[in-house]
Amino acid sequence: MQDREQLLYVFGVGAHFPDHLDDALCTIKHRDLVVFYAWAPRAIFGEEALRERMQDHQWLAKQALWHQNHVQRLFEQLDAMIPFRFGTLFNKKDHLLERVHEKYTEWIRLLNKLRGYAEWELQAFPEEEELEQVLQARDPAWHAQQQEMAQASPGKRYLLRKQSEQIRQEALSKQHRWFREQMQHKSTQWPYEVRWVKGDDQSHQNSPVCRLALLGPFQQPTRFEEAIMPLFDT
């Protein structure tokens, strides 16, 4: 009988049992599906408690690693698995079984599609220094403005700096759009199913220019350099 102070923390679902299951993991079988979960204390993973703990970045990093390690060990032993996101919780086994029953056909179809395949997420970040060099080389007006700003009075320098930053942001945004267009064109020639992922606000510093997921028959373990880098040589 389930302890009322415990929740079911679910890592994912597969189509068979692994050869070796971590002692901390439990399973629920429903027809051709096996769900992998662990018991989690409600005092820590309850809705309000979890929302508060998510603000603690050190705790979050530790728990995310715990989650990822379990998922990775399952991946290594299963021919296909649907991983669940961090913090997927159910109050009761019955509630989890209801979800499995509801999603059974969809999950079976997805597992059949994923069998023997793996998904990589690729994020592209701009090299801002290189883009600055491109900007200087291709926009003489911006370069001339930089020279004028160096010799201007403090008041005028402030106005020129504001104008220069606007020109810079517009030029960098144009370069980012050009890069995404090139990636979209190139990705149509790749031997993988490509799914473009909606990312963060790309106007923020350190945000990726684009994010995409590649689904293909990658052999495990596969190094990034072996699977991805050759795509950019074509």
Side-chain angles (χ1 to χ4, degrees), residues 43-230:
I44 296 177
F45 287 92
E47 185 175 353
E48 292 185 8
L50 182 60
R51 187 183 302 114
E52 182 177 342
R53 287 178 181 272
M54 291 281 279
Q55 306 304 314
D56 183 342
H57 292 173
Q58 289 186 345
W59 181 89
L60 182 59
K62 182 179 178 180
Q63 295 303 314
L65 184 60
W66 167 78
H67 173 97
Q68 181 59 33
N69 285 341
H70 278 301
V71 170
Q72 183 62 36
R73 284 194 289 270
L74 288 169
F75 259 124
E76 292 170 355
Q77 300 184 69
L78 301 173
D79 59 359
M81 177 185 171
I82 303 172
F84 287 5
R85 67 181 181 180
F86 173 81
T88 300
L89 295 143
F90 289 83
N91 285 310
K92 299 180 180 179
K93 283 186 179 181
D94 290 345
H95 295 168
L96 175 55
L97 282 170
E98 288 174 5
R99 177 64 59 84
V100 176
H101 178 75
E102 175 189 342
K103 295 287 188 178
Y104 178 81
T105 301
E106 176 185 340
W107 286 352
I108 284 292
R109 185 183 302 115
L110 182 55
L111 283 168
N112 287 334
K113 181 179 180 180
L114 293 174
R115 189 163 285 110
Y117 281 63
E119 185 175 83
W120 291 76
E121 181 171 297
L122 181 64
Q123 299 187 27
F125 292 85
E127 289 284 356
E128 296 294 351
E129 291 184 2
E130 292 186 13
L131 289 178
E132 293 278 5
Q133 294 174 4
V134 171
L135 178 60
Q136 293 183 35
R138 295 184 178 180
D139 195 335
W142 184 86
H143 184 64
Q145 189 181 51
Q146 298 302 298
Q147 293 180 325
E148 181 182 359
M149 186 166 57
Q151 302 173 2
S153 64
K156 186 175 182 180
R157 188 182 305 130
Y158 173 80
L159 295 175
L160 289 173
R161 185 179 295 112
K162 296 285 287 186
Q163 295 174 3
S164 175
E165 181 60 23
Q166 183 177 354
I167 293 173
R168 174 183 176 276
Q169 288 298 329
E170 291 175 354
L172 292 179
S173 295
K174 184 177 180 180
Q175 288 290 83
H176 292 175
R177 287 194 299 271
W178 174 85
F179 180 81
R180 287 194 294 273
E181 291 171 359
Q182 294 297 308
M183 285 288 290
Q184 288 174 334
H185 173 71
K186 185 178 285 289
S187 65
T188 61
Q189 305 170 29
W190 294 347
Y192 306 121
E193 180 179 324
V194 179
R195 176 172 57 86
W196 287 80
V197 182
K198 185 178 180 180
D200 300 324
D201 184 351
Q202 292 162 348
S203 65
H204 290 176
Q205 189 176 12
N206 300 326
S207 295
V209 176
C210 63
R211 297 172 59 199
L212 59 157
L214 307 178
L215 179 66
F218 302 113
Q219 299 298 317
Q220 295 293 337
T222 302
R223 296 181 60 198
F224 175 84
E225 293 86 352
E226 297 171 350
I228 306 299
M229 295 309 294

